[in-house]
Amino acid sequence: SSVVTPTDTNFTPTATFLGWNGFTPFVSVSFNLPTATKASTPNTTQSNSKTDPDIVATPAFGEGFNVGPTIGTNINIADSVVLGVGAGYTYRGPFAQATLSTLSTFDPGDVFSLNASLGYRGDQLDVQTSVAYSLETTTYQDGAALYRAGNRVIIGLKAAKNSAPTSPCGCASSRCPRP
């Protein structure tokens, strides 16, 4: 099936304090505003008409009002090493979702999360490791407990090799053509 509709509106304002050398605290609040056209009917449910998150940056629509405050900081351990830590909470609001024959009220569980990352940036190599822990509260459908997702641990590692040397002006040449 196919659905043609605007997506929900997502925005995340962030405030970062830059006044302390080597210590950069931040706070942000992520919002999902339910501005999408209702696409859920017994023939076309939200679950079979969601976009593919590998292709489309907006992961879902029609999920209700969500608010997710986050607080954290980045700490410079050395000139080329940064430690980041943060904590967040996401309130996921209820919304109507189609079942095979009717609409039902779906109230997804809220999510608590903790995360940490360690990054290194060198002349030729960038490396970042991360770990995140989250737990989700019980999800309800029509007032009855439906399921509770298990706690999650996500571990990541990214590395990139910069193959081209850079000059002081930032171009990809060891001999800068600009004065």
Side-chain angles (χ1 to χ4, degrees):
S1 67
S2 66
V3 173
V4 177
T5 180
T7 61
D8 283 357
T9 301
N10 304 109
F11 67 97
T12 305
T14 301
T16 304
F17 182 71
L18 302 174
W20 296 321
N21 190 21
F23 184 76
T24 312
F26 64 88
V27 62
S28 68
V29 181
S30 181
F31 294 92
N32 179 73
L33 303 177
T35 55
T37 304
K38 286 286 185 197
S40 193
T41 68
N43 294 328
T44 305
T45 67
Q46 290 162 324
S47 60
N48 71 10
S49 60
K50 285 186 177 183
T51 56
D52 183 342
D54 293 331
I55 299 170
V56 180
T58 304
F61 61 88
E63 286 201 6
F65 178 70
N66 300 341
V67 178
T70 300
I71 188 167
T73 190
N74 292 313
I75 303 165
N76 293 345
I77 296 175
D79 286 343
S80 58
V81 180
V82 175
L83 171 68
V85 293
Y89 168 78
T90 302
Y91 162 78
R92 297 169 57 196
F95 58 92
Q97 184 176 40
T99 62
L100 293 175
S101 60
T102 184
L103 285 176
S104 66
T105 301
F106 190 71
D107 188 0
D110 297 345
V111 180
F112 299 89
S113 62
L114 299 171
N115 61 70
S117 64
L118 186 64
Y120 165 79
R121 175 167 282 176
D123 292 334
Q124 297 278 322
L125 182 67
D126 295 345
V127 179
Q128 182 178 16
T129 62
S130 62
V131 63
Y133 173 78
S134 64
L135 60 99
E136 186 174 321
T137 61
T138 303
T139 293
Y140 294 88
Q141 184 171 8
D142 294 329
L146 183 61
Y147 68 90
R148 183 182 174 279
N151 298 348
R152 288 176 286 220
V153 175
I154 300 171
I155 299 172
L157 174 65
K158 295 190 297 187
K161 181 179 181 330
N162 302 322
S163 59
T166 57
S167 68
C169 74
C171 64
S173 170
S174 59
R175 302 174 89 203
C176 184
R178 292 180 264 174

